[in-house]
Amino acid sequence: MTFLNEFAKASVQSCEIDKELYLKYNVKRGLRNADFSGVLVGLTNIGDVVGYNKDEQGNIIPAEGELFYRGIELKDLCRGFQEDKRHGFEEAAYLLLSGNLPDKEQLSVFTKQLAEERSLPDFFSKNMILSLRGRCVMNMLARSVLGLYTADDEAENYSPENLLKQSMSLIAKFPVIVAYAYFGMRHSYQQKSLVIRHPQPELSAAENFLYMLKGKKYTKLEADLLDLSLVLHAEHGGGNNSSFTTRVVSSAQTDTYSAISAALGSLKGGLHGGANLKVINMMDNIKQNVKNWEDEKEVAAYLGKILMKEANDRTGKIYGIGHAIYTLSDPRAILLKEKAGELANEKNRLKEFNLYAMIERLAPEVFYKFKGSSSKTVSANVDFYSGFVYQCLEIPEEIYTPIFAVARIAGWCAHRIEEVTCSSRRIIRPAYKAVYPRLQYTPLKTR
């Protein structure tokens, strides 16, 4: 056994903790209560996620999901810009940052300002992204954000005006960095052409991102779907891992770029930002092993095998089904599914979409059958359909999670501003109880 093997073994053994101690000391593992609801650690005016109610005894009562941006229900926000036949991400970002819906003039000025901020600093694209390429677009995005610190003479200015300026700059630049990082990675590691398209100021955020990825080869419906996806992912309360990371790091009074790069590190984690890709892989497995996609009994039987760890990746998970907060429904999944059907029709993929819809309908029944009626209530979450939508948009899998970041940067910046300017201004510092026994120091010569 090598030194590193022995060192690693000792390190792991030193980290082992008796699980009974968590009960003894009433530790809220994962900042979760015993009923799996989140431990209340702060207050916010930004986002609210509603997935259940509680009765007088504190029992969880399943409810239809709702998501509020600054007090406005997500469905109402989306219906508003959809009825106007316009894109809504810029409006959602304005709402999250300011707390108010913009009027026409305010939205126009804000949109133009974002468009002007898309351009990267001189030589930044070449030196930071195209020359210093990597295999992971999320990693390249995170270090590019840290690199932007050096181009900001006011990086340590924490005034509200400067925080907003930095936020708008990052919201505008994220799609550009992601596109450049992807093509740089593709050129270096996949031996494909290096394609660099300059951002177009007259396009919306969604249109510009599709243009940078595909040129002018996208339809109005494709742009509408991507815009909707950005709106749906822009915010999800202060308790999700990456937004909470933003607040934890910001509470230490660090700079915007450090806080946002930390959030990117959180989102990169497979338990947070990569769920839609797991859905795609699962669906590929189902399509390969289910002969008749229209046979409910055959599909349900295979879902049962997945739950029993006999199929797919043998984790026992039906990816895209279930959520930490939502019970009866995820409003984001409902909104995305509506438009996903239209896109599937345009792309001649209705048969595949119908399979998704069938699994969404059958999975809760299969779950209760194999897990028991006492199990938590589950439904499809937004990840169940988002990967399928990105496939239809011909977006490469390497940037599924970066697209999440392109959207969520709006919410992260809103939470940072709230944490820096209006919170209790205390560094977030939960407690850990040490359970390792006290030991005496042994001199080196006697060990």
Side-chain angles (χ1 to χ4, degrees):
M1 184 178 289
T2 66
F3 166 77
L4 187 58
N5 293 141
E6 294 177 351
F7 201 24
K9 183 178 180 180
S11 177
V12 172
Q13 288 177 342
S14 72
C15 294
E16 293 177 352
I17 296 176
D18 184 352
K19 290 182 173 55
E20 292 299 318
L21 294 177
Y22 289 97
L23 296 175
K24 177 181 179 180
Y25 296 112
N26 191 28
V27 178
K28 308 291 187 180
R29 299 183 69 184
L31 288 181
R32 302 285 185 89
N33 295 308
D35 60 6
F36 297 103
S37 61
V39 174
L40 185 62
V41 297
L43 304 175
T44 183
N45 284 320
I46 298 168
D48 189 18
V49 185
V50 180
Y52 55 83
N53 298 311
K54 286 192 174 182
D55 61 20
E56 294 180 355
Q57 289 73 42
N59 299 311
I60 289 179
I61 308 300
E64 299 293 343
E66 294 180 298
L67 177 57
F68 295 86
Y69 289 4
R70 296 288 191 170
I72 296 176
E73 218 286 318
L74 181 64
K75 292 179 182 177
D76 295 334
L77 177 66
C78 293
R79 301 292 186 229
F81 64 76
Q82 286 175 338
E83 288 176 4
D84 290 344
K85 300 187 185 308
R86 57 183 175 82
H87 286 174
F89 178 67
E90 288 81 357
E91 179 180 20
Y94 185 103
L95 172 64
L96 290 171
L97 292 176
S98 73
N100 301 290
L101 286 170
D103 59 28
K104 287 185 177 181
E105 182 178 355
Q106 290 170 331
L107 182 57
S108 176
V109 172
F110 181 72
T111 301
K112 289 180 180 177
Q113 185 66 42
L114 288 180
E116 291 174 1
E117 291 288 337
R118 286 173 183 160
S119 297
L120 299 176
D122 291 342
F123 306 111
F124 189 90
S125 300
K126 179 179 183 299
N127 296 336
M128 180 59 69
I129 303 176
L130 299 179
S131 294
L132 197 60
R133 300 167 189 167
R135 295 180 183 273
C136 176
V137 177
M138 283 294 287
N139 175 271
M140 296 174 72
L141 177 58
R143 57 179 166 82
S144 293
V145 169
L146 287 174
L148 288 172
Y149 176 99
T150 62
D152 185 354
D153 294 334
E154 297 292 325
E156 299 284 353
N157 180 348
Y158 300 146
S159 69
E161 293 81 5
N162 196 58
L163 290 174
L164 278 169
K165 180 181 178 182
Q166 291 173 334
S167 298
M168 293 171 66
S169 176
L170 288 172
I171 291 170
K173 289 178 172 59
F174 261 40
V176 181
I177 296 173
V178 168
Y180 288 3
Y182 166 69
F183 281 112
M185 177 278 297
R186 192 181 79 149
H187 179 65
S188 291
Y189 298 103
Q190 299 177 4
Q191 288 74 53
K192 295 183 180 179
S193 299
L194 178 62
V195 180
I196 298 297
R197 298 184 180 92
H198 296 287
Q200 302 297 300
E202 73 278 4
L203 300 178
S204 70
E207 290 170 328
N208 186 69
F209 193 39
L210 286 175
Y211 167 75
M212 298 190 74
L213 291 175
K214 302 169 61 175
K216 297 181 179 180
K217 300 176 182 178
Y218 63 87
T219 67
K220 180 182 182 303
L221 182 57
E222 288 178 323
D224 291 347
L225 256 295
L226 181 58
D227 174 73
L228 176 62
S229 182
L230 294 179
V231 174
L232 300 181
H233 288 87
E235 161 61 5
H236 211 241
N240 70 82
N241 196 275
S242 55
S243 293
F244 186 58
T245 297
T246 303
R247 299 197 73 126
V248 169
V249 178
S250 293
S251 75
Q253 295 187 355
T254 191
D255 64 277
T256 295
Y257 305 98
S258 294
I260 298 304
S261 66
L264 286 165
S266 164
L267 186 65
K268 178 179 177 290
L271 295 181
H272 190 5
N276 54 19
L277 189 54
K278 290 183 179 293
V279 174
I280 290 293
N281 293 335
M282 178 188 73
M283 292 301 297
D284 287 342
N285 178 268
I286 291 173
K287 286 183 285 187
Q288 291 170 6
N289 290 280
V290 173
K291 295 180 180 180
N292 185 354
W293 295 2
E294 298 178 355
D295 187 332
E296 292 191 4
K297 290 185 178 180
E298 185 181 1
V299 173
Y302 196 75
L303 292 177
K305 288 184 177 181
I306 291 176
L307 277 178
M308 296 304 291
K309 301 182 180 181
E310 298 172 357
N312 195 33
D313 61 2
R314 290 176 166 73
T315 61
K317 295 180 180 179
I318 301 178
Y319 294 109
I321 303 297
H323 190 270
I325 300 177
Y326 296 123
T327 53
L328 295 180
S329 63
D330 179 342
R332 304 168 300 170
I334 293 173
L335 290 163
L336 195 59
K337 180 183 178 181
E338 291 176 359
K339 284 289 184 179
E342 295 181 34
L343 185 63
N345 185 53
E346 181 177 277
K347 298 294 183 178
N348 295 316
R349 297 181 67 169
L350 271 178
K351 182 180 179 182
E352 191 175 353
F353 173 78
N354 290 335
L355 177 61
Y356 272 83
M358 180 190 294
I359 291 173
E360 177 191 7
R361 186 176 71 256
L362 295 177
E365 299 175 10
V366 175
F367 185 86
Y368 304 143
K369 177 181 178 181
F370 285 89
K371 298 294 185 179
S373 59
S374 61
S375 299
K376 64 178 291 187
T377 303
V378 298
S379 61
N381 60 52
V382 69
D383 295 310
F384 187 72
Y385 285 103
S386 63
F388 174 71
V389 167
Y390 297 156
Q391 273 193 334
C392 291
L393 295 176
E394 298 176 350
I395 291 175
E397 292 182 353
E398 292 90 344
I399 58 175
Y400 282 13
T401 304
I403 289 177
F404 196 151
V406 167
R408 187 58 60 83
I409 179 62
W412 290 339
C413 287
H415 281 285
R416 169 168 169 76
I417 292 171
E418 187 176 66
E419 186 65 37
V420 170
T421 63
C422 302
S423 71
S424 62
R425 297 195 178 182
R426 293 183 179 181
I427 187 170
I428 297 174
R429 191 192 183 283
Y432 274 72
K433 182 175 181 61
V435 293
Y436 205 78
R438 299 295 189 263
L439 302 173
Q440 292 294 322
Y441 177 80
T442 305
L444 180 61
K445 62 183 180 181
T446 61
R447 290 176 211 166

